[in-house]
Amino acid sequence: MQARLTIDGREIAVDLSRPTDLALELDFSGPQPRHFGAPRASSRPYETPGFGFRGSVERGGSCNCELITLIPHCNGTHTECAGHLTRERLDAWRVAPAGLLPAVLLSVVPEPPGDEGTDPVPQPGDRLITRRALEQAWPLSVPFVPHAAVIRTLPNHPEKRARDYTAQTPPYLSQQAAMLLVSRGILHLVVDVPSIDRAHDEGRLTAHRLFFGLPRGAVQLAAATRASYPTVSGMVPTCWSCRCRRSRAMRCRAVRCSMQ
């Protein structure tokens, strides 16, 4: 399916029939990613005591009906917004854009903090996604104003798709990197790491707060200072809710375009 879009006065040809699926497939019976010591995501046939129903055709049931247990923030691709940090609940799907977004892909090598940092201070051995790396990866000429950024850390090993991050500290954003993304108008951030902050950061969530526009310690949604509610999708291996092998209702895709 071919489409032509006009973005910032430029005409773009898009093949909508050949999207690239960004979401991580979650296999309940196979290897899975894991973060923060979370248990595996699991699935089992739903049963109703007293009615004799078992939700497994393989086990004699009339249909397949499963009970799924998972922690989206720790078991796979997930999307979060300011409601991740506030008392008021704000579902990411309510603020995430429904249409196509112009995005920039940035491939970076996480590096020692150097003159960049965050709060709390990075620990020895930590690797950061720095402002310097993002600036070097940012295309010199972008034919449109990007509203989304996809950050891919290098090396880009396939084993990311089932990596257990529990015993390690994954790369995370420096506060300078978060501020750069805000200054360039990025509202929707996609990363291949579990979180844009250090896994154990004393609850500071510095990069989250900078990107969402929430002052330090603020837990009220009204305190958010950015005009729109930004989103962050994590554990995207190259963002929306988790894509499950047996339940594919919510998926995130990207399409490539050519400038005319």
Side-chain angles (χ1 to χ4, degrees):
M1 179 185 296
Q2 300 292 328
R4 289 188 177 276
L5 310 176
T6 300
I7 300 178
D8 296 337
R10 301 288 299 275
E11 190 172 81
I12 300 174
V14 181
D15 186 354
L16 297 177
S17 65
R18 300 181 62 188
T20 299
D21 201 335
L22 299 183
L24 183 69
E25 181 173 306
L26 182 57
D27 185 354
F28 295 114
S29 59
Q32 298 179 5
R34 188 169 75 110
H35 181 49
F36 218 69
R40 282 178 52 89
S42 62
S43 172
R44 63 179 176 83
Y46 173 64
E47 299 183 19
T48 53
F51 292 92
F53 173 76
R54 174 175 291 178
S56 172
V57 175
E58 183 182 6
R59 299 182 184 181
S62 59
C63 64
N64 294 313
C65 180
E66 298 181 340
L67 176 64
I68 294 173
T69 303
L70 76 159
I71 304 173
H73 285 90
C74 302
N75 290 135
T77 301
H78 62 281
T79 298
E80 55 200 36
C81 62
H84 187 40
L85 308 182
T86 62
R87 290 196 179 103
E88 302 96 330
R89 294 302 181 105
L90 178 64
D91 298 323
W93 68 268
R94 295 184 184 277
V95 296
L100 299 175
L101 283 178
V104 61
L105 172 63
L106 307 171
S107 297
V108 303
V109 177
E111 56 189 20
D115 58 354
E116 297 189 31
T118 188
D119 180 25
V121 175
Q123 297 298 304
D126 284 6
R127 311 287 289 186
L128 272 59
I129 299 170
T130 63
R131 178 189 181 107
R132 176 174 51 255
L134 293 181
E135 288 178 328
Q136 291 176 350
W138 210 285
L140 295 178
S141 177
V142 181
F144 49 74
V145 177
H147 300 300
V150 181
I151 298 178
R152 175 172 55 195
T153 58
L154 302 176
N156 192 32
H157 294 305
E159 59 94 14
K160 283 181 183 177
R161 306 183 69 87
R163 181 177 291 173
D164 188 343
Y165 291 93
T166 299
Q168 58 182 278
T169 298
Y172 55 94
L173 264 62
S174 70
Q175 60 184 6
Q176 292 84 356
M179 293 168 65
L180 173 70
L181 294 169
V182 172
S183 70
R184 297 202 175 184
I186 298 300
L187 290 171
H188 307 286
L189 178 61
V190 179
V191 296
D192 61 0
V193 290
S195 175
I196 60 174
D197 277 302
R198 196 176 196 277
H200 300 282
D201 70 343
E202 303 172 15
R204 307 287 177 82
L205 295 163
T206 300
H208 281 82
R209 291 187 172 278
L210 288 169
F211 190 72
F212 292 149
L214 278 172
R216 179 176 178 177
V219 293
Q220 302 294 337
L221 196 57
T225 58
R226 300 194 71 184
S228 299
Y229 288 121
T231 63
V232 175
S233 293
M235 232 182 283
V236 178
T238 98
C239 350
W240 301 79
S241 294
C242 191
R243 174 188 165 199
C244 302
R245 172 167 289 183
R246 300 187 183 96
S247 177
R248 302 175 185 240
M250 301 187 70
R251 301 169 68 171
C252 180
R253 290 185 169 185
V255 292
R256 297 175 182 175
C257 60
S258 59
M259 304 302 299
Q260 302 296 311

